[in-house]
């Protein structure tokens, strides 16, 4: 039975309904935990707050999409996903 590293990524935006998180699966026979996490490239962004000041933050990019945060969830087998 195949096993996968599971990473949850939070989408950018205030209200994405049920699309707030996306889950990604990386086969353990190809990716180590560190390699799976490294697929999400850290990028520096800025946001303009209501006080008219810009504030930096770290976001993550994967496959052309930007995510606010990522979390490693562990290993799951194919029956669990």
């Amino acid at each position: 039975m195949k096993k996968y590293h599971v990473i949850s990524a939070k989408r950018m935006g205030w209200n994405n309904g049920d699309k707030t998180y996306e889950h990604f699966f990386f086969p353990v026979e190809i990716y180590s935990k560190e390699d799976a996490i490294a697929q999400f490239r850290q990028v520096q962004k800025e946001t303009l707050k209501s006080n008219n000041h810009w504030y930096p933050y770290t976001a993550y990019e994967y496959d052309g999409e930007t995510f606010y945060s990522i979390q490693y969830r562990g290993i799951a087998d194919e029956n669990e996903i």
Side-chain angles (χ1 to χ4, degrees):
M1 182 171 302
K2 289 189 175 198
K3 294 192 178 286
Y4 298 87
H5 295 286
V6 181
I7 297 178
S8 296
K10 185 175 183 184
R11 294 188 173 280
M12 299 296 287
W14 289 101
N15 185 2
N16 295 316
D18 63 349
K19 299 270 187 190
T20 301
Y21 286 93
E22 187 165 343
H23 308 287
F24 297 91
F25 307 96
F26 299 91
V28 297
E29 68 269 7
I30 298 172
Y31 297 91
S32 68
K33 174 184 175 180
E34 293 76 18
D35 290 339
I37 293 169
Q39 299 305 302
F40 294 82
R41 186 174 60 92
Q42 285 189 3
V43 292
Q44 296 302 309
K45 302 273 188 173
E46 290 185 329
T47 186
L48 183 62
K49 297 288 186 170
S50 59
N51 64 1
N52 223 22
H53 286 99
W54 288 94
Y55 293 91
Y57 66 95
T58 301
Y60 300 87
E61 289 183 350
Y62 175 74
D63 199 25
E65 293 190 61
T66 303
F67 298 94
Y68 179 72
S69 64
I70 61 170
Q71 184 176 26
Y72 180 78
R73 298 287 186 173
I75 295 175
D77 64 41
E78 58 192 351
N79 291 334
E80 297 173 303
I81 59 174

